[in-house]
Amino acid sequence: MSSGNNNNAARIDAARRVAIFGGTHGNEMSGVTLVNLWMQNSAEIQRKEVDIEPFITNPKAVEKCVRYVDTDLNRAFTQENLSVTGGDELPYEVLRAQEINRMFGPKGTPEAYDVIFDLHNTTSNMGCTLILESSKDAFNLQMMNYIKKAFAPASCLVLLNEHPLLKYSTSRSVAKHPVGLEVGPQPQGVLRSNIFEAMRVILKHALDFIELFNEGMEFPPCTVEVFRVLERMDYPRDANGNIIAMVHPNLQDCDWEPLNPGDPMFQTFDGKSIHYQGSTTVYPTFINEAAYYEKQQAFVTTRRETLVANAIRKA
Ligand SMILES: CC(=O)N[C@@H](CC(=O)O)C(=O)O
Ligand SMILES: [Zn+2]
């Protein structure tokens, strides 16, 4: 008879090469500051038998303290961009994406980094949010379960973006196991100690998980509650495309709270409410994110799901 359930655990390669990206958006100061700190002294992020590299992904944007210089780096990792040839006429972030892909990828190949953590801040009242791009990645789901338990009683939610149209080509998507970390509320260009500390603690738990996994610990099957991206909601606009309403006071700062059919969602400048017309309860998030005005997004709706993660163990 076999001992325990070791034979049932999916075997996954040890995570030997890990990167921590900050400054994918140059005005999101927690990630920029933490990564700069760790580049000077990496003692805090070192773990046994794994290379962990802190890296500033968009140094030009960091220098100017802007989201991006030419185009959003966190949308730039498409196969087209990564394979297009050309020099100075290409947008800075496309060239930078190619450089990052050479260093940490190539995306979708066995040579790619095992895990990339990408550190972001939001102006929305989302608290601590881990962002996944796949519901099938048992390694990442087990990591989410580990982090949530280690972080309790504080809460850390998981946003799953594998929407066929709304999913985008992130910097972290170069890795085999991409993990976004989004902490807010924090204004652009501002550093808040509570947000900075929360991000630092979540990263610590994430790296602890990788160390335990690499040491051979088996993680039994588990379930993870996630919020799956459903729909992008734009601000109401006039025929010229100008915004004619604001996020309703009942919705502002209420990320992750249920929005029911008929609930107020926007308020026009003359005080009229605009109500949610959907047919089911949804969980809005990224409510009134500053960076999303240019993306015609007032918030995104999500649905709560419970995912099952298989047992995993190092191969
Ligand atoms: C506010 C912000 O930048 N959020 C990130 C979310 C993510 O990393 O998936 C973005 O839009 O790229
Ligand atoms: Zn960001």
Side-chain angles (χ1 to χ4, degrees), residues 25 28 67 120-121 182:
H25 297 129
E28 297 176 359
R67 182 173 175 89
H120 291 260
N121 291 119
E182 186 74 75

Side-chain angles (χ1 to χ4, degrees), residues 4 121 131 143 247 254 291:
N121 291 119
I131 308 181
M143 190 196 312
V247 169
C254 297

Side-chain angles (χ1 to χ4, degrees), residues 23-28 67 72 74-75 118-122 172 181-182 286 289 291-292:
T24 290
H25 297 129
N27 56 7
E28 297 176 359
R67 182 173 175 89
D72 193 334
N74 217 28
R75 304 290 181 277
D118 194 16
L119 307 184
H120 291 260
N121 291 119
T122 175
R172 58 189 176 267
L181 177 52
E182 186 74 75
F286 278 120
E289 159 58 43
Y292 290 168

